[in-house]
Amino acid sequence: MNRSSPPHPFRTLLAISLVSLGLAGCVPTLHPSTQTVSATAAARAVRHGHYILGAQAYQHLGRHSTGTARARYALKAAEALVRAGALQAANEELRRAKPPLTARLAAHKDALMGEIAAALGHPARAYQEARKAQRYPNLPPQLQAEINRVEAQTSLSLGHPARAARHLIARERLLVSRRRLTDNETALWHDLAALPRARLRHMYDQAPAGVVGAWARLELIARRYPPHSRRLRAAVTRWQHRYPKFIPTAAFLTTILGAKSHPRPAPRVVALLLPLSSPFAKAAKAVERGFVAMAKTHPLAGHPVIDIYDIGGNPAKAAHYYRQAVKRGAQFIVGPLGADAITDVADHARFTVPTLLLGLAKNGPRHDPDHTPVYQFSLARTLEARQAADRAYLDGHTRAAILYPDSPFGHRMRRAFARRWRHLGGLVVAQTSYTPGSTGYVRPVEDLLDIAQSRARYYRLQRILGMPLAFTARRRQDVGFVFLVADAPDARLIKPLLDYDHADTLPVYSTSSVFTGRPDPVYDRDLDGIIFGDMPWMLVANGRMGRLRHTLPYAHHYDFTPFARLFAFGADAEGLVGRLDRLSLGGGGRYNGLTGALSVRRDNVIRRTLVWAEFRKGVPRLLDTFLPYRGLFSPHKRAVHKTGQP
């Protein structure tokens, strides 16, 4: 079953723009009049969240420019790639921004290096890079504001909320957009809320007439009076008269005076809803142990009580347990786990407390008039398929062939990959399904590569000539790579067939499904050459992953087992509870979790940025060598293989 796919409409418009500018031809440099149009198109793509498309447009401009212009476009491409989570590609773009650089470009490069370091979980190094960027004089306000944002985020990661607040206060005077001002003020409000009253009083006493003192004073006022009260309104009015030069946005003042005048305090009771007595009890237990282990090792602010609810094996009762948890005083709910249970809660429960669903609701959570936040955190393979499309595209491929199981899961994966691939402007030139768990893989692989047509041409030519001919089958030549949807047993049989049918030079991309989690160099040698994305917990040996392997209870119990990913999932769910409000404010904030670099999308779905590996000699080897990671299965880590036997 072979189909071609039309490119995404936005991609088509961008391509037309680039072609009209001569970017698709052999024009050595761009004319100034066309650069403005193209830069505008690239900026529009980034503004609408099409980061990879915007980065590609900037890369085109850079290749057809020289000198300072080339460096400027390389930095803009790198910035878009950082937003997309493509850190390896972003780092390569930064290397293209070579000296000599103007002060503005050098500062921009340092700031981006800080962002990459922060995304990799190195806040101290990130803060140093941002401080280096500050040394350049006369920077434009927009760039200065971005540097302040990086300083604030890294200060918060380093446990310095007061310093983070000062950087956000400095950023305030540089912003012009009302939306950005409100977002900055809200982020600042969250950082001040994390400070004890004595620290706020000290900040106020140090500079009672300055802007830092003004913010500290406003936070103290909000803590003193109840929301919606006349006393609060009167106190805020007096505060405004005292600081006439400091005028917060109207939207922010509304939050100060309204029911949500203060950021939500740390929850005192957290409920965890899991099917512990269901057929999925072992999976649920792994999530529970990960959650509790992280709570014991890195407790949430306020050390909340964790109430665990067993929702049993009937998903239709999930909403009942959700309401019960709320009635018993839960101030934050994590769960339920399982697609049917999530659907029941999304359809029948009223979200009155912040909730982190452990999966994706089919139609999203119902709209809540009280705007209670509901987040969705999932290990869904369809999200990994989208990232596989991003990875293949950033690796320079444009034409895909998809081999997938003929099952509901397989079709969901095919659709997820194909939609993302077409959005990026790629072509799907072939799609073929196979029966999972069977041995009949030869025909689907041959159909995917058009081997049967090659053989038919041979027979036809032999009949015409009336003599035997030497023959070697020839695969189709319009395929740039294969996206393989398969688990490890199926992939071990399919990959050798691809190699046999002369596709051994084609890159093969897949998801974490191809890796069992246990090193098996004998059987997995048949997977050599497959590129896949997975969570850091499954692939990385050093840094935070290495420390947590030694400190988290039960971590070694789940090492190299089918439930290792679920243990990490539970640990990250706990880590997100106290960070979701801040992460949801946007601005590039990330939490470096066990399951990936976690950020919050506009629809409150948690985005996981994976790490990438390739099977070589039967074991996964990390691909992005610029990352400060050491592979869990590198030769000098052989001892690790024995530690996690259940």
Side-chain angles (χ1 to χ4, degrees):
M1 180 172 58
N2 298 336
R3 302 174 188 164
S4 62
S5 59
H8 186 272
F10 182 87
R11 167 71 183 178
T12 303
L13 291 174
L14 185 59
I16 292 171
S17 172
L18 294 176
V19 170
S20 68
L21 298 174
L23 294 180
C26 301
V27 183
T29 56
L30 293 174
H31 298 293
S33 61
T34 61
Q35 287 185 8
T36 303
V37 177
S38 183
T40 302
R44 188 184 302 116
V46 172
R47 190 165 57 250
H48 286 90
H50 304 297
Y51 300 119
I52 293 179
L53 294 179
Q56 189 200 37
Y58 284 128
Q59 287 171 335
H60 274 293
L61 285 167
R63 281 193 290 270
H64 294 273
S65 302
T66 58
T68 301
R70 172 174 290 185
R72 182 171 67 252
Y73 289 132
L75 292 175
K76 286 184 175 293
E79 185 174 13
L81 290 167
V82 169
R83 298 287 178 271
L87 302 182
Q88 170 78 14
N91 187 64
E92 292 173 359
E93 284 300 315
L94 286 183
R95 277 189 269 175
R96 293 190 176 96
K98 298 178 180 178
L101 299 174
T102 65
R104 177 177 179 175
L105 295 180
H108 192 189
K109 184 175 182 178
D110 287 339
L112 288 173
M113 290 175 67
E115 284 206 63
I116 291 175
L120 294 174
H122 296 284
R125 187 188 308 167
Y127 189 75
Q128 290 174 359
E129 294 290 348
R131 297 304 296 169
K132 279 171 57 180
Q134 289 281 23
R135 67 188 176 185
Y136 297 100
N138 303 321
L139 296 177
Q142 185 176 358
L143 177 57
Q144 183 68 59
E146 285 302 297
I147 296 171
N148 287 146
R149 181 183 62 79
V150 176
E151 290 174 321
Q153 287 181 348
T154 52
S155 295
L156 203 61
S157 299
L158 290 168
H160 301 300
R163 190 171 73 187
R166 286 190 172 90
H167 287 304
L168 289 177
I169 289 170
R171 187 172 185 255
E172 184 82 1
R173 61 184 173 80
L174 301 166
L175 299 174
V176 176
S177 162
R178 283 287 172 186
R179 181 183 61 81
R180 291 192 177 187
L181 277 167
T182 301
D183 290 346
N184 189 73
E185 289 165 351
T186 306
L188 173 56
W189 201 235
H190 277 272
D191 294 349
L192 291 172
L195 296 175
R197 190 181 299 271
R199 187 70 178 275
L200 288 168
R201 172 62 65 178
H202 179 69
M203 290 173 66
Y204 172 72
D205 291 340
Q206 280 189 319
V211 67
V212 175
W215 272 102
R217 178 68 178 167
L218 186 60
E219 169 66 19
L220 290 168
I221 289 171
R223 293 190 188 188
R224 183 175 181 182
Y225 301 107
H228 281 311
S229 66
R230 292 183 178 179
R231 290 186 297 168
L232 174 61
R233 187 174 295 276
V236 171
T237 301
R238 290 194 299 271
W239 175 85
Q240 287 180 286
H241 287 314
R242 181 172 180 178
Y243 301 100
K245 294 182 180 180
F246 176 52
I247 307 176
T249 60
F252 178 69
L253 279 178
T254 300
T255 66
I256 294 293
L257 297 170
K260 296 185 178 182
S261 64
H262 199 272
R264 273 182 296 273
R268 294 189 299 274
V269 180
V270 175
L272 179 62
L273 277 57
L274 296 171
L276 294 168
S277 59
S278 73
F280 308 102
K282 289 184 178 180
K285 192 66 178 179
V287 174
E288 178 201 5
R289 284 180 168 175
F291 192 96
V292 173
M294 186 62 81
K296 288 180 178 179
T297 311
H298 298 82
L300 294 166
H303 298 268
V305 174
I306 299 175
D307 289 339
I308 299 173
Y309 291 79
D310 177 10
I311 66 174
N314 185 359
K317 291 186 177 181
H320 163 74
Y321 284 103
Y322 184 95
R323 290 189 290 267
Q324 189 178 82
V326 173
K327 187 176 181 180
R328 292 183 179 179
Q331 296 174 320
F332 197 108
I333 294 180
V334 178
L337 177 70
D340 293 336
I342 289 171
T343 299
D344 185 65
V345 169
D347 290 345
H348 301 108
R350 182 166 176 258
F351 293 108
T352 55
V353 298
T355 301
L356 177 64
L357 298 174
L358 296 180
L360 299 176
K362 287 183 179 178
N363 301 312
R366 290 186 303 166
H367 174 70
D368 176 32
D370 296 329
H371 302 290
T372 301
V374 179
Y375 304 94
Q376 301 176 71
F377 182 33
S378 172
L379 299 183
R381 296 288 194 265
T382 52
L383 299 178
E384 294 184 10
R386 290 170 56 87
Q387 287 199 50
D390 290 347
R391 177 75 191 202
Y393 190 77
L394 289 169
D395 286 347
H397 302 295
T398 58
R399 294 173 174 269
I402 307 174
L403 186 57
Y404 61 97
D406 188 10
S407 65
F409 168 75
H411 286 280
R412 287 197 303 272
M413 292 289 285
R414 174 187 60 81
R415 287 193 298 268
F417 178 87
R419 285 173 182 168
R420 180 60 178 170
W421 187 246
R422 290 163 181 158
H423 169 82
L424 294 171
L427 294 175
V428 178
V429 298
Q431 304 180 61
T432 302
S433 64
Y434 65 89
T435 302
S438 70
T439 56
Y441 302 109
V442 174
R443 181 62 181 271
V445 170
E446 289 187 345
D447 288 347
L448 186 77
L449 301 174
D450 272 353
I451 298 298
Q453 290 189 20
S454 175
R455 194 173 288 115
R457 288 192 297 269
Y458 159 69
Y459 290 138
R460 186 166 58 251
L461 184 60
Q462 188 169 250
R463 283 197 305 271
I464 292 172
L465 297 177
M467 57 183 293
L469 300 172
F471 170 71
T472 301
R474 177 183 170 88
R475 66 168 176 84
R476 61 188 302 163
Q477 298 299 303
D478 59 345
V479 175
F481 72 97
V482 174
F483 176 61
L484 174 62
V485 182
D487 59 15
D490 284 337
R492 288 169 184 152
L493 297 173
I494 292 173
K495 182 58 168 67
L497 289 174
L498 288 169
D499 294 345
Y500 176 79
D501 285 327
H502 310 286
D504 52 317
T505 58
L506 285 181
V508 177
Y509 292 81
S510 191
T511 66
S512 61
S513 298
V514 299
F515 180 42
T516 63
R518 177 188 293 273
D520 195 345
V522 176
Y523 286 102
D524 286 347
R525 191 174 289 267
D526 287 332
L527 301 177
D528 279 3
I530 293 182
I531 298 167
F532 69 99
D534 208 335
M535 59 179 67
W537 187 249
M538 304 302 293
L539 297 173
V540 177
N542 63 328
R544 185 168 185 255
M545 300 302 110
R547 292 191 296 272
L548 289 175
R549 287 183 200 284
H550 293 291
T551 57
L552 285 182
Y554 294 108
H556 288 301
H557 178 79
Y558 287 105
D559 271 352
F560 314 122
T561 72
F563 303 107
R565 294 184 179 92
L566 290 169
F567 177 82
F569 184 51
D572 275 357
E574 195 277 345
L576 284 169
V577 169
R579 294 175 169 87
L580 284 170
D581 279 351
R582 189 65 168 81
L583 289 174
S584 63
L585 296 176
R590 292 181 180 88
Y591 168 54
N592 290 292
L594 281 66
T595 60
L598 306 179
S599 56
V600 179
R601 298 186 337 199
R602 294 177 184 176
D603 57 0
N604 279 356
V605 172
I606 308 302
R607 184 180 190 275
R608 291 192 304 128
T609 300
L610 307 175
V611 293
W612 289 86
E614 180 181 357
F615 278 101
R616 297 172 189 164
K617 295 184 178 180
V619 294
R621 304 293 191 200
L622 293 177
L623 282 179
D624 299 330
T625 54
F626 102 97
L627 300 176
Y629 296 151
R630 187 173 68 246
L632 189 58
F633 309 110
S634 56
H636 57 283
K637 290 295 291 181
R638 288 195 188 94
V640 175
H641 298 176
K642 301 178 182 179
T643 60
Q645 303 301 326

